[in-house]
Amino acid sequence: MARAQVNGVELFYEIQGDGEPLVLVHGSWTDHHSWHAVLPHLTRTHRVLVYDRRGHSLSERPPGQGTRTQDEDDLAALIEMLGAPVHVAASSFGASVALGLAARRPELLRSLAVHEPPLTAVVAGDPELDRLMRDAQAPIDAVMADVRAGDSEGGARRFVEEVVFGPGAWDGMPDAARRTFVTNAPTAADEQGDPDWDTVDLARLAGYTGPAMLSKGTDSPAWFGAIVDRLAQVLPGAQARTLRGEGHVPHLTAPQRYADNLLAFLASTASTDRS
């Protein structure tokens, strides 16, 4: 267990393995444990840093409204500590953090692999997608209302059963996983309070010209695919991949497949470096 003091907060992190540096960035509600199943595959060939983002689990939770830019600055500091440039792989809100950093400080990234960032603002204006996103936002708003009213457990249960996995899923989760969701519920609500949580500067993002892989699952809501497709149009070095039969968290539901896909991409960046 290690801790780093960056940007006024103390962050928990772990480093495992040897090889080219790779940083994994988790999404909302979870923490570094969400990468547990893929680590044995990735650490065979890479020096992997996992961490709890600010406000999550073992990292410090500062008071006041946070911003995604702060998360981006934290990631930048950890990358510089590890030795830039590095490979970065990220999921969900963590993918938004990684893309935001790529737009602002592209020199820190050797490659970028993201799965389904919830950057809904980049596809706003499509009537059908707008309708789908409005319908999906209603249960999320109910979750956040529970959490902001002080009922983190009720909000976490509602999020798991009404937004992510379906009825009965909460009781089927391990105790440790339920505790993580409850602990991190206030930060999930805080992230939604940032007015810029769902957008990224596409013009600046186009300045990241390194290798990039953007993935989406066929079992995820349609707007995630639309977001990935839009970002793939913007990033000059991007490749888009579709994971058949997978949803929003393939590193949890299909860790071997996720790791194989990521490692194949990372191997392809090595050949790009030699060319």
Side-chain angles (χ1 to χ4, degrees):
M1 296 176 64
R3 296 183 179 275
Q5 191 74 29
V6 301
N7 303 318
V9 297
E10 188 176 72
L11 301 181
F12 167 87
Y13 72 94
E14 291 182 341
I15 298 176
Q16 299 179 40
D18 292 299
E20 294 180 352
L22 166 65
V23 177
L24 305 179
V25 191
H26 68 80
S28 299
W29 297 88
T30 61
D31 60 20
H32 73 283
H33 287 106
S34 66
W35 300 108
H36 178 77
V38 301
L39 276 179
H41 309 291
L42 303 178
T43 54
R44 294 172 188 162
T45 53
H46 290 78
R47 185 173 181 233
V48 183
L49 184 150
V50 294
Y51 72 108
D52 292 346
R53 293 192 292 109
R54 63 169 56 215
H56 292 81
S57 296
L58 298 176
S59 287
E60 187 178 354
R61 181 176 288 111
Q65 174 62 54
T67 67
R68 203 186 69 223
T69 299
Q70 292 173 319
D71 269 295
E72 294 165 12
D73 291 340
D74 294 346
L75 176 57
L78 291 174
I79 289 173
E80 290 170 332
M81 180 189 75
L82 192 60
V86 306
H87 302 287
V88 172
S91 173
S92 192
F93 193 87
S96 300
V97 172
L99 287 160
L101 182 62
R104 295 171 56 214
R105 301 207 44 201
E107 75 281 359
L108 295 179
L109 278 63
R110 182 168 180 179
S111 74
L112 176 63
V114 299
H115 185 76
E116 295 188 345
L119 294 169
T120 52
V122 306
V123 293
D126 181 299
E128 179 60 18
L129 287 177
D130 285 346
R131 182 187 67 78
L132 291 172
M133 288 187 286
R134 280 196 305 272
D135 291 345
Q137 190 62 40
I140 295 174
D141 288 343
V143 167
M144 297 307 166
D146 286 345
V147 175
R148 289 173 180 139
D151 186 8
S152 289
E153 183 170 355
R157 176 188 285 271
R158 188 193 290 267
F159 179 73
V160 168
E161 298 199 340
E162 297 182 17
V163 178
V164 184
F165 296 118
W170 179 257
D171 291 332
M173 290 173 63
D175 288 344
R178 288 200 297 266
R179 286 195 300 271
T180 297
F181 271 69
V182 173
T183 297
N184 295 330
T187 300
D190 182 73
E191 289 172 346
Q192 295 265 318
D194 176 6
D196 296 321
W197 76 273
D198 64 345
T199 191
V200 68
D201 188 328
L202 295 178
R204 293 187 69 182
L205 185 60
Y208 173 73
T209 58
M213 178 178 69
L214 301 100
S215 57
K216 57 186 177 180
T218 56
D219 292 357
S220 292
W223 68 84
F224 280 120
I227 292 167
V228 167
D229 292 343
R230 178 72 183 102
L231 295 171
Q233 294 170 356
V234 171
L235 286 163
Q239 51 181 282
R241 294 189 184 179
T242 300
L243 304 182
R244 301 289 172 188
E246 297 300 333
H248 192 53
V249 286
H251 57 295
L252 295 175
T253 57
Q256 178 74 66
R257 184 182 183 192
Y258 175 88
D260 288 346
N261 193 49
L262 177 57
L263 288 170
F265 166 68
L266 295 177
S268 75
T269 69
S271 61
T272 301
D273 289 342
R274 290 192 296 268
S275 61

